[in-house]
Amino acid sequence: MSEEGKNGQAPGGMEGGFRKLYWKFGLKVLAGVFVLALIDLLPLPSKWWSIPFLLVGAWLILANLTAMSILATAQHRYRHGPEDETPLRFQDSTERMVHVLSYVVLALAMLATTLLSGPAENIVEKGRFFLLVGGLGGTLAAFVTWWIKRTVPGYYQRNSESRGGAVLGLFLGIVFLTVLGSAWVDRRSAEANATVARYAVQSMGSNIKTGSNYVHLYRPGSKEERFRIQVRGTEMQGLVGRDSLDLRIGTGDLGFTHVLGVHRP
């Protein structure tokens, strides 16, 4: 019996269906990123207005990344049959190396999220930064994925849940490391040309879940400089009741403006 008869659809048609679904889910992920960027790009009248954007954006990203992971597993099973249970130690040495490095990259990205989230948080043009640098990270991750497929073809042919997690972890790890690493490097270069600027305080608040303190600021007459910064608990105590702040700001080599701290004369 032909392959078309066994599956009910020609192999080319099935692969085309997978590609369409990847595009569909991928575009929804990008839509989620755009919705989150709107929180910083739009002059929202209150911080509570950001909650619907946050919920919709996070749902679009998480739901469709999960769908892409499930789709990848289904595609592997369609191509290669039941799950490959070959232990890692019995696999090709190059496959083992790429597999382990993929999880190392994911672990480094998780560590960087904890240690380097501050520089990424205190960027004035945060929406533009995440769109541009996040896009660069996605392009770099796609190139690495393509390069591995060309040089270690067996890496993607092995059908297993662990391998699927390694592939997805490598892609997301590269994106996160690109964004957070770029923010850290750009902030370091911004410190060399720091200046002082005054901004009006719009509101103050805390994230109940993480305990982080935020100050929402803007420069009157400049919609594009409406943003928020993250501050430590001790700093927050000294800011309560103030209607304006003097901030140390600087522009890094990548062209983004960073809030380096609260200026204290």
Side-chain angles (χ1 to χ4, degrees), residues 239-254:
L239 303 180
V240 175
R242 299 182 60 174
D243 58 4
S244 65
L245 291 179
D246 290 328
L247 302 177
R248 290 176 53 249
I249 63 172
T251 301
D253 293 338
L254 298 180

Side-chain angles (χ1 to χ4, degrees), residues 9 12-22 71:
Q9 186 174 359
M14 182 66 78
E15 290 294 338
F18 280 122
R19 285 194 295 270
K20 289 180 180 178
L21 287 173
Y22 277 122
L71 180 63

Side-chain angles (χ1 to χ4, degrees), residues 29-264:
V29 170
L30 291 177
V33 174
F34 178 74
V35 170
L36 292 181
L38 288 177
I39 296 176
D40 291 304
L41 296 176
L42 295 178
L44 300 176
S46 168
K47 64 180 180 180
W48 299 108
W49 284 69
S50 65
I51 294 179
F53 291 90
L54 182 62
L55 292 176
V56 172
W59 179 82
L60 283 171
I61 293 173
L62 294 176
N64 287 284
L65 283 178
T66 301
M68 290 176 72
S69 177
I70 296 173
L71 180 63
T73 301
Q75 186 179 30
H76 273 291
R77 289 180 178 176
Y78 167 74
R79 288 176 173 177
H80 309 293
E83 182 170 339
D84 187 340
E85 298 180 352
T86 305
L88 184 63
R89 64 181 180 275
F90 295 133
Q91 297 176 20
D92 178 78
S93 60
T94 307
E95 279 190 56
R96 293 200 306 270
M97 180 182 67
V98 177
H99 184 93
V100 172
L101 284 176
S102 296
Y103 280 105
V104 170
V105 170
L106 179 60
L108 289 174
M110 295 172 66
L111 180 62
T113 302
T114 302
L115 299 178
L116 302 180
S117 59
E121 181 66 43
N122 289 352
I123 299 177
V124 174
E125 311 97 331
K126 196 182 307 176
R128 185 169 67 92
F129 174 82
F130 281 117
L131 287 175
L132 293 178
V133 182
L136 175 63
T139 302
L140 178 60
F143 172 78
V144 172
T145 300
W146 170 84
W147 181 78
I148 293 174
K149 188 174 183 179
R150 293 270 298 183
T151 56
V152 194
Y155 185 75
Y156 291 98
Q157 294 173 2
R158 195 175 298 281
N159 177 33
S160 71
E161 184 177 347
S162 176
R163 182 56 48 82
V167 172
L168 184 61
L170 177 63
F171 189 95
L172 295 178
I174 291 174
V175 173
F176 276 87
L177 286 175
T178 301
V179 171
L180 296 172
S182 298
W184 182 79
V185 171
D186 200 45
R187 180 186 174 90
R188 292 293 298 271
S189 61
E191 292 174 351
N193 53 16
T195 60
V196 177
R198 176 162 294 185
Y199 291 87
V201 175
Q202 181 180 11
S203 62
M204 298 183 184
S206 300
N207 186 311
I208 299 176
K209 183 177 181 181
T210 63
S212 300
N213 299 308
Y214 297 99
V215 180
H216 295 256
L217 304 157
Y218 67 98
R219 177 171 285 178
S222 178
K223 290 169 50 178
E224 62 183 2
E225 290 195 348
R226 189 179 296 267
F227 62 100
R228 77 175 188 181
I229 61 172
Q230 184 176 348
V231 296
R232 295 187 295 269
T234 53
E235 290 181 327
M236 190 72 166
Q237 295 173 4
L239 303 180
V240 175
R242 299 182 60 174
D243 58 4
S244 65
L245 291 179
D246 290 328
L247 302 177
R248 290 176 53 249
I249 63 172
T251 301
D253 293 338
L254 298 180
F256 297 98
T257 303
H258 295 256
V259 176
L260 305 174
V262 178
H263 176 67
R264 301 187 182 280

